[in-house]
Amino acid sequence: MKRNKGMIIGFLAPAVIMFLLVFLYPICRTVAMSFFKIDAVTSTADTWQFVGIGNYQKLFTTDIFKTAMFNIGRIWLLGGIIVLVLSLLFGVILTSGIRGKKFFRAIIYLPNIVSAVALATMWKQYVFSPKFGLLKGILDTLGFHELAKTQWLAPENVFWALLFAYCFGMVGYHMLIWMSGIERISPEYYEAATIDGSNKIQQFRYITLPLLKGVFKTNITMWSISTAAFFVWSQLFSSVTANKATIVPAQYMYMNTFGGGNAVTERNAGYAAAIGIILCLCIVIIFTVCNAVIKDDDLEF
Amino acid sequence: MKRKLISALLCAAMVGTMLIGCGGGGDSKSSDGGSDGGNKLVYWAMWSEEEPQAKIIQEAVEKYTADTGVEVDVQFKGRTGQREGIEAALGAKQNIDIFDESADRVNRAWGAYPMDIEEMAKDYEAEHGNELLFKICRETAGGTLKSIPYQPYIYGFFYNKALFKEAGIDAAPKTWEELDAACAKLKEAGITPITGDTAYQNNAFGHHMARFVGQDGVKTLVNDPAVAEKVESGEIEDITWDDPKVAEAVKAIEDFASKGYYSENMSANVYPAGQNQEFAPGEAAMIWCGSWLPNELKNAVAEDFEWGFFCYPSVPGGVDDETANNVGAQVLAINKDSKMAKEAFELITYITAGEFDKKMTEEAMCIPTDKANGDAWPAELAGAKEGFDSTVTFYDEAVGAETNVDLTPVLNESVCKLMAGTMTADEFISACKAASGE
């Protein structure tokens, strides 16, 4: 082993150096930036004005940032429950040996291969249209005429419209992760359980669920990361500038980096960096809590 | 020993391959397909390739190259691409000769990069320059000329003349009372008086409020960080959300909402739902938008659609009247580090004057920028010409109402709710007051 040390170092060094340059340097720079007032992302360090924890203090006293954090919190929690439960349900159904598995899997996954811009446009201009929308048509057909008049994109409802549309697209992705986990479980367990007289629900509760703990952790982490970077959908459901009902931290960060909307506004890349750091910390906390709460190393199969 | 040697060689080979693979071409000075700064102009355009404006620019570029032999690398970045990329590229000294965006953005936000072209543009301005637009360019650049305007625009109320006639309205409203009366007649005739898209409502609100308190008043009201010093020094009066004039302005909108003058979809019309689904088919008579609207709707309106236009009406006892408008332009600027400034300026004249400026009016329904094309206004914008020519005070984008990013999302939502009648004037004021940090 000792003789190979040089070889190990030699082969690792380029990758490590590249990693440090491409990842560690931007991370350190972002952390440093968050303590300065900086006009543009590319401003040279000599133009930075040190503000200490001023950016963080301002963030925690700014209403719109708190609203953005509340919105992203709701998307993470409620959207997470909806997406993970639905995707698990579909995953279990599709791995239960039904006919047309490949077809349904492709259909459910399909929204993931369509551009978010196209999807969001379809949702807001067609599905949610109060004039000729799909939703209006369905509700009218079912006789819910009052409900059909709902202004889905009005400030009171637009958050839920956005959440629904986003979750619709995300189910397929998480379903695939669940399915890969379920398919890893040996069918022998189910056969043994069936012989012992357990029904499908019991099998799901006592075999599938416990053996999916690791996959669950993966799903939560993936969901948290994609939620923290949530931006395109909010942007597309907004007017030119962000809307209060759907604003998320990444959008607020963008507004402070590149300016908000058509007007020229004050920019502060340091303030935006502080938002990035806060989002990053949120993911680290979620990941740590998940690791502490969900132990998946007690079962081997 | 042998093994060590092989390891070292392998490592060296790997590192070498990586460096070759990851490194840029040694000879190229541009990393973005640009030229080497020798004999090719690089132009970063804010348009997307499929837009009519982009097609005309491309034609102008081809003509320029044919005439002069100077090749041009035009890169259509789109609005977002330009806003996100140009400053970083210019800051990194990337080889870019020409770039464009709105006068405000080029001259203020990116003001460190454009070249001063006062001398270079002297003859051009005398022959082709529109006085108002050059004034805008100079004022946004701190008193000197750093950009050439093109693609001018004006915000205002576009209206459907046929619907006005049907409701018995003879002339476009000039005052708030006249607008009130016109809306009442339209409503009586069963026509939705006003629709709009949420994207433009901050702009409409900015005009509305500025009629009462002026543009500086709007900026202080929203706590624009850029005027903070002037407020402190007492140079401009600080208008707060408790000001009676502000309450009067907000109540005027509330009053219109209570009379049902705004479309019921006002707060749910995410662009372009209002213009496409309500204004174009003739369900609503008026819409607040910029002068690009006829071009955007040219395939959506009926062939005999009659376009009307009027500026935001004046209000009793107000500060500004209909001669104060959000008039602006896109501008072309030359990078101060450009080694081909003379060629770049010549290309700009191809795009902004003469044949191709005229083509813009015909194919993209734009307002002409060359004063020699003064009579080439598209018929759809005839009403806007009157407003444009009569403008004495030009407002910034959204009349300064969008200058505080902490307030803008709240303001937009609140204005839309106020117009939709789901928020009262008092609720509106307290929501904006809290969000603007008062």
Side-chain angles (χ1 to χ4, degrees), chain B residues 359-370:
Chain B
K359 232 174 177 179
M360 287 272 189
T361 67
E362 290 159 1
E363 287 172 29
M365 287 191 193
C366 297
I367 296 175
T369 182
D370 182 351

Side-chain angles (χ1 to χ4, degrees), chain B residues 91-102:
Chain B
K93 304 269 179 211
Q94 199 168 318
N95 180 41
I96 297 165
D97 298 292
I98 308 174
F99 57 98
D100 58 6
E101 240 286 350
S102 70

Side-chain angles (χ1 to χ4, degrees), chain A:
Chain A
M1 215 37 211
K2 218 175 185 183
R3 285 196 312 179
N4 281 339
K5 230 178 193 176
M7 180 96 109
I8 293 169
I9 293 171
F11 274 98
L12 275 181
V16 171
I17 292 168
M18 289 306 284
F19 173 81
L20 293 182
L21 280 177
V22 178
F23 289 101
L24 196 67
Y25 168 67
I27 291 170
C28 294
R29 188 181 157 100
T30 308
V31 173
M33 281 170 81
S34 71
F35 299 107
F36 289 84
K37 182 179 185 306
I38 302 160
D39 184 40
V41 180
T42 46
S43 298
T44 48
D46 56 317
T47 60
W48 298 6
Q49 292 168 37
F50 185 71
V51 291
I53 54 163
N55 286 331
Y56 292 94
Q57 279 173 330
K58 187 174 174 236
L59 275 175
F60 287 112
T61 51
T62 301
D63 281 352
I64 197 70
F65 178 68
K66 287 189 243 175
T67 307
M69 287 302 280
F70 176 64
N71 285 344
I72 201 73
R74 285 196 291 177
I75 292 170
W76 179 77
L77 184 67
L78 301 175
I81 293 171
I82 297 168
V83 167
L84 295 190
V85 168
L86 272 181
S87 57
L88 177 60
L89 183 69
F90 286 139
V92 170
I93 293 172
L94 289 188
T95 48
S96 66
I98 61 156
R99 265 213 212 157
K101 170 185 160 183
K102 280 185 182 167
F103 173 75
F104 288 116
R105 190 176 58 190
I107 290 285
I108 297 170
Y109 188 74
L110 198 64
N112 285 277
I113 56 167
V114 180
S115 134
V117 177
L119 272 183
T121 307
M122 187 268 297
W123 280 99
K124 29 174 226 191
Q125 301 297 338
Y126 170 56
V127 179
F128 293 133
S129 167
K131 288 199 170 294
F132 50 75
L134 178 73
L135 218 50
K136 177 185 155 61
I138 293 173
L139 290 168
D140 268 336
T141 313
L142 294 174
F144 300 112
H145 299 298
E146 275 309 303
L147 201 60
K149 287 182 193 159
T150 310
Q151 303 271 4
W152 300 108
L153 298 176
E156 304 80 36
N157 307 319
V158 67
F159 176 81
W160 303 107
L162 167 76
L163 187 66
F164 186 76
Y166 178 62
C167 290
F168 179 86
M170 290 302 285
V171 166
Y173 175 71
H174 290 276
M175 179 192 76
L176 285 195
I177 303 179
W178 285 125
M179 282 174 75
S180 72
I182 296 169
E183 280 166 351
R184 235 178 37 184
I185 303 169
S186 165
E188 287 164 14
Y189 296 122
Y190 297 105
E191 281 166 23
T194 311
I195 292 165
D196 287 344
S198 76
N199 60 29
K200 285 280 178 200
I201 293 168
Q202 285 168 328
Q203 286 177 19
F204 173 73
R205 167 71 186 84
Y206 295 104
I207 301 174
T208 313
L209 268 190
L211 295 181
L212 280 181
K213 269 192 203 169
V215 183
F216 182 61
K217 209 154 75 176
T218 311
N219 260 329
I220 289 197
T221 310
M222 299 304 281
W223 173 255
S224 306
I225 291 171
S226 59
T227 309
F230 194 88
F231 173 75
V232 176
W233 282 84
S234 270
Q235 195 72 359
L236 291 167
F237 269 70
S238 301
S239 315
V240 173
T241 44
N243 284 9
K244 187 187 168 198
T246 53
I247 191 170
V248 288
Q251 225 180 348
Y252 186 54
M253 177 162 73
Y254 183 92
M255 288 164 79
N256 279 288
T257 313
F258 298 107
N262 284 327
V264 172
T265 55
E266 194 186 48
R267 296 168 305 164
N268 183 354
Y271 189 63
I275 299 170
I277 300 292
I278 291 172
L279 286 178
C280 180
L281 286 179
C282 288
I283 295 181
V284 171
I285 291 168
I286 291 168
F287 187 69
T288 314
V289 170
C290 272
N291 271 343
V293 173
I294 308 166
K295 298 269 181 228
D296 63 335
D297 49 5
D298 53 347
L299 289 170
E300 271 184 33
F301 63 103

Side-chain angles (χ1 to χ4, degrees), chain A residues 7 10 18 40 42 125 129 131-132 151 153-156 239-242 244-245 252 254 258 261-262 265 267, chain B residues 7 11 18 83-84 87-88 105 109 198 264-265 268 270-272 277-278 283 397 402 406 408-409 412-413 417:
Chain A
M7 180 96 109
M18 289 306 284
T42 46
Q125 301 297 338
S129 167
K131 288 199 170 294
F132 50 75
Q151 303 271 4
L153 298 176
E156 304 80 36
S239 315
V240 173
T241 44
K244 187 187 168 198
Y252 186 54
Y254 183 92
F258 298 107
N262 284 327
T265 55
R267 296 168 305 164
Chain B
S7 310
C11 276
M18 274 182 71
R83 285 176 195 178
E84 291 171 4
E87 199 177 12
R105 210 173 289 273
T198 56
E264 57 177 7
N265 301 318
V270 178
Y271 170 87
Q277 295 171 20
E278 293 190 303
E283 283 182 23
E397 187 64 36
E402 282 185 348
D406 292 345
T408 301
N412 189 252
E413 179 179 306
K417 280 179 158 180

